[in-house]
Amino acid sequence: MSSPSDESTDGGPRPVPGNGQGVHELARLGRTLRTLSEANRTLLRSSDESELLHEMCKVIVEVGGYRLAGVGYAESDANKSIRWVAYSGPAGTTLRTLPFTWADTPWGQTATGTAIRTGHAVIGRNVRTDPAYAGPGFARLRQDALENGYVSVAAFPLRINQTVLGALVMAATQAKAFDAEEVKLLGELADDLAYGIANLRMAVQNRAAQATIARLAYYDPLTNLPNRTLLLEQLDGALQTARQQHQSLALLHLEVGRFREINKVLGYRAGDDLLQEIGRRLACAVQANALLARVGETEFALLLTNAGAEYATEVAQQLHDSLREPVEVRSLLLDARVVIGIALFPDHASDADALIRRANAAMHQAQPAHGGYAMYTGGQEEEHTRRLALMGDLHWAIEHDELTLHCQPKVDIASRHVSGAEALVRWPHPQHGLISTQELIMIVEQAGMITPLTNWMLEAAFRQCHAWREAGLNQALAVNLSGNDLYDPELIDRIRGLFSTWGIEPSLVQFELTETALMTNPASAVETLLRLKRLNVELFVDDYGTGYSSLSYLQKLPIDGLKIDRSFVTPMAANGDSSVIVRSTIELGHNLGLKVVAEGVESQAVWERLAALGCDLAQGYLISKPMPAHQFHEWERAWS
């Protein structure tokens, strides 16, 4: 202030002043009241914390007449430093370069540091004479006070919820400033400032919470993409605009393949990593005006406005290509390709729900081998609805043992003796009749019921082997295991338990695993095969030739035989290339000490060619089509 009254350094009362001094005190008190009033208006007007602090310091200097004012916040760093966040008056640059702290150190004995550390106001510190500022380290501060014309300093703690946030500091031009009434009013000002800071911070938190709630309502937290809710709102608006302006639009529905298997084998975090990378790649591949959303656990959707069939298929191809490169997850390279369904307005649907359903139906018709995408055609939605119903029916059929076990014989080519059979599952649906094997496999994979179906197959196969043995038929029955089964941690214990339950010899149960399944995760596959082999069962690589296994990898597998895929065997009598592949595979298998089974033997010419090449076993329609397992004994007697 320009003319503060005398006051003791501890804020105690002074002798009653004379009339002239009383006038000065009344004037100073009036200025303090005006400062408090203007400060309250500042509190009401300010909508930002930094603005509030700077305006408050400005009011204290310009209205209150103090030489300087500042706000220092207490930092929680190792030095317990004080950060000056607002300042008004001279010497601001100098103060910000000094090592102010609220620690119990020499620099922590300043008015500001003491107020923050103790939580009590420090009144009337004389910077030039107070012992706390007498050390050589405070020379710059004393020099600054001299050059900028301030003498006494007061610091008021800023407390929020019993926590001292920092301090409001002000300096006067006279040594004996800050009387009791003035200090009381300034203390109220500091409390009001702390209250204003708390309110502004609460408002920021509320706005952040509202923004978070809004984002959770409209955005997927894993990929940060729009969610189904936002897609529906945008789709409704886009459809309305398209109707008014006579435009078309396209909706693409995408689904990530093999996601459940990845989750089961590698865990949910790996699945999340995969989805995040897929979302990132898709977002990079789409145009800025297109809306990409995550609409399900493994599903994405893309809305293209003012788009027809040609453009939609181009975009689908681009999206498919963007995922051509494998995704690295947990040090493994995973195939992240998607299947994509396309539906168009107005040709395929006129409202949002129907458009989504038909894009979804088209997606389930898409085949990776045919570009990975499909356009909606009439009947796909009904077919998709039928398949969804079949998924529920299959779950019931597995639970209530409504599936049937079939088998297809295998015969030794040289002796023509029956050497066992391959176990197959059939589903005679009560309404739809016998479900084709291809459709059954598709339903099982889409419904994520591979493990329940395998469990049913294992139980049925062991039960059938026991029944054959009781009837005097000792033939091996081979059960197919999928790639998903290989990563099931309970598989080996389940099989071991079935051997104990039915009391049959390991030689009566074989296992067949496709080459593709073995190559998905070779290290884990070898480990599972080794554990299976310890049960003394025979292991065969099925569909050999359709995968990408190398000779060195094949040598590492604890297997007993190879089954040459039917795509090479069936045409070998008329196709020289197929014949060469079959001959090479037979030689390879024998060189490795393995049995070789040819599946797909459908003609006598193929049988004779296989016999000439020294193939061990044959399986196919020439011998027998798959039959109900209970008919196998009778067939075997007839064959013999």
Side-chain angles (χ1 to χ4, degrees):
M1 288 185 172
S2 58
S3 57
S5 66
D6 292 340
E7 171 145 356
S8 66
T9 57
D10 62 358
R14 286 288 174 186
V16 177
N19 289 338
Q21 188 173 3
V23 171
H24 288 300
E25 287 185 354
L26 288 174
R28 185 179 66 251
L29 187 59
R31 282 195 298 272
T32 305
L33 289 171
R34 288 196 299 274
T35 301
L36 187 61
S37 176
E38 186 61 32
N40 287 332
R41 282 194 290 270
T42 299
L43 286 171
L44 294 175
R45 290 193 300 263
S46 297
S47 58
D48 174 79
E49 183 174 334
S50 178
E51 174 193 4
L52 170 64
L53 299 178
H54 282 90
E55 288 298 317
M56 190 66 74
C57 291
K58 186 177 178 182
V59 166
I60 291 172
V61 172
E62 295 182 359
V63 179
Y66 291 91
R67 184 62 176 164
L68 60 85
V71 175
Y73 278 175
E75 298 290 285
S76 297
D77 55 8
N79 297 324
K80 295 185 177 180
S81 54
I82 296 173
R83 176 169 56 93
W84 294 99
V85 293
Y87 196 86
S88 183
T93 303
T94 301
L95 290 184
R96 288 187 176 93
T97 61
L98 295 175
F100 283 95
T101 177
W102 55 282
D104 195 7
T105 63
W107 266 99
Q109 308 309 315
T110 64
T112 309
T114 303
I116 294 174
R117 186 175 62 257
T118 65
H120 299 292
V122 178
I123 308 301
R125 283 277 188 90
N126 191 317
V127 177
R128 303 175 189 176
T129 62
D130 193 289
Y133 301 105
F138 292 96
R140 286 183 58 200
L141 180 62
R142 295 194 300 270
Q143 182 64 27
D144 185 80
L146 181 63
E147 291 177 355
N148 291 290
Y150 63 90
V151 179
S152 59
V153 178
F156 299 85
L158 297 173
R159 185 179 287 103
I160 298 177
N161 296 329
Q162 307 305 315
T163 299
V164 177
L165 170 70
L168 172 64
V169 185
M170 57 197 72
T173 57
Q174 294 189 8
K176 297 179 180 180
F178 305 108
D179 65 15
E181 287 298 322
E182 186 178 2
V183 166
K184 180 180 178 182
L185 293 174
L186 292 174
E188 291 180 10
L189 187 151
D191 290 342
D192 290 345
L193 177 59
Y195 179 79
I197 294 171
N199 275 352
L200 288 175
R201 291 188 175 185
M202 182 64 71
V204 170
Q205 292 175 358
N206 288 340
R207 287 195 296 271
Q210 292 297 325
T212 299
I213 292 172
R215 185 162 188 84
L216 289 174
Y218 289 103
Y219 287 85
D220 170 51
L222 180 65
T223 62
N224 289 322
L225 293 173
N227 61 14
R228 176 182 289 272
T229 302
L230 183 54
L231 174 72
L232 286 171
E233 289 189 7
Q234 295 290 324
L235 181 56
D236 284 333
L239 286 170
Q240 184 176 356
T241 300
R243 291 188 194 97
Q244 293 171 349
Q245 300 181 3
H246 303 289
Q247 295 176 344
S248 61
L249 61 79
L251 183 69
L252 281 63
H253 201 113
L254 305 83
E255 184 173 41
V256 181
R258 298 174 52 233
F259 183 75
R260 291 184 180 88
E261 179 182 334
I262 292 169
N263 260 352
K264 186 170 184 178
V265 176
L266 301 179
Y268 290 106
R269 289 186 179 178
D272 288 347
D273 292 344
L274 176 65
L275 289 174
Q276 287 176 328
E277 175 61 16
I278 289 175
R280 186 192 66 79
R281 289 194 190 182
L282 293 175
C284 291
V286 303
Q287 298 293 327
N289 60 345
L291 177 66
L292 176 67
R294 184 187 178 203
V295 295
E297 181 185 25
T298 62
E299 298 176 16
F300 296 83
L302 180 66
L303 173 60
L304 303 174
T305 56
N306 197 20
E310 183 178 358
Y311 180 62
T313 54
E314 289 178 4
V315 172
Q317 184 63 60
Q318 292 171 5
L319 296 179
H320 192 266
D321 291 345
S322 71
L323 299 174
R324 189 175 298 278
E325 291 297 321
V327 176
E328 184 174 350
V329 176
R330 299 293 191 268
S331 300
L332 295 175
L333 292 177
L334 303 179
D335 185 358
R337 296 186 187 181
V338 299
V339 289
I340 306 171
I342 306 170
L344 303 172
F345 168 86
D347 185 31
H348 299 150
S350 58
D351 62 83
D353 289 340
L355 198 66
I356 291 173
R357 288 199 312 272
R358 288 171 182 172
N360 186 272
M363 178 188 73
H364 285 88
Q365 300 299 320
Q367 299 294 329
H370 297 90
Y373 62 88
M375 185 75 68
Y376 175 78
T377 58
Q380 285 180 338
E381 185 177 4
E382 292 76 9
E383 178 61 23
H384 179 53
T385 302
R386 172 182 176 274
R387 191 162 293 160
L388 286 175
L390 286 176
M391 288 180 187
D393 294 344
L394 179 58
H395 186 273
W396 172 274
I398 293 174
E399 289 289 324
H400 294 82
D401 199 24
E402 293 182 355
L403 304 176
T404 61
L405 184 69
H406 280 53
C407 62
Q408 187 174 28
K410 291 185 283 188
V411 173
D412 183 276
I413 295 177
S415 66
R416 297 183 63 87
H417 291 161
V418 178
S419 61
E422 178 183 357
L424 303 167
V425 62
R426 295 293 183 265
W427 183 18
H429 193 280
Q431 282 81 41
H432 301 290
L434 186 65
I435 304 300
S436 70
T437 302
Q438 182 179 3
E439 184 174 24
L440 176 59
I441 292 173
M442 187 180 299
I443 292 170
V444 170
E445 290 178 345
Q446 291 178 354
M449 289 191 287
I450 294 176
T451 298
L453 182 61
T454 298
N455 292 343
W456 182 91
M457 280 288 295
L458 288 170
E459 180 69 36
F462 273 83
R463 186 169 60 241
Q464 187 62 56
C465 284
H466 174 75
W468 283 350
R469 190 186 63 176
E470 291 296 300
L473 180 65
N474 290 312
Q475 293 289 0
L477 190 58
V479 178
N480 289 280
L481 296 178
S482 69
N484 188 75
D485 296 323
L486 288 181
Y487 313 126
D488 183 355
E490 299 177 359
L491 174 68
I492 306 301
D493 289 338
R494 188 177 300 118
I495 294 173
R496 185 182 291 111
L498 288 169
F499 274 118
S500 298
T501 299
W502 294 102
I504 59 178
E505 297 79 11
S507 61
L508 296 181
V509 178
Q510 301 170 344
F511 293 99
E512 297 182 1
L513 308 101
T514 64
E515 187 181 11
T516 304
L518 293 173
M519 292 307 298
T520 302
N521 188 347
S524 296
V526 169
E527 182 181 350
T528 302
L529 291 184
L530 288 171
R531 295 179 65 197
L532 270 173
K533 196 60 186 169
R534 294 189 192 109
L535 301 179
N536 296 319
V537 298
E538 286 192 323
L539 304 176
F540 288 79
V541 175
D542 196 9
D543 299 336
Y544 185 77
T546 60
Y548 303 95
S549 59
S550 64
L551 180 60
S552 61
Y553 175 66
L554 200 62
Q555 289 178 304
K556 298 177 183 178
L557 297 176
I559 57 176
D560 301 282
L562 303 176
K563 294 187 71 176
I564 309 174
D565 188 69
R566 67 180 62 251
S567 62
F568 304 115
V569 174
T570 302
M572 65 177 291
N575 187 308
D577 291 339
S578 294
S579 183
V580 170
I581 293 173
V582 172
R583 184 185 68 222
S584 300
T585 304
I586 293 172
E587 291 176 356
L588 170 64
H590 288 166
N591 289 335
L592 293 175
L594 304 175
K595 299 177 186 177
V596 180
V597 183
E599 55 182 355
V601 180
E602 299 181 358
S603 69
Q604 187 64 32
V606 170
W607 173 284
E608 292 174 356
R609 182 65 178 147
L610 289 170
L613 294 174
C615 187
D616 301 298
L617 303 172
Q619 178 182 349
Y621 283 8
L622 178 67
I623 301 162
S624 174
K625 293 182 178 181
M627 66 187 74
H630 65 83
Q631 297 178 6
F632 181 78
H633 197 179
E634 182 180 349
W635 175 90
E636 194 264 350
R637 286 198 298 266
W639 174 269
S640 300

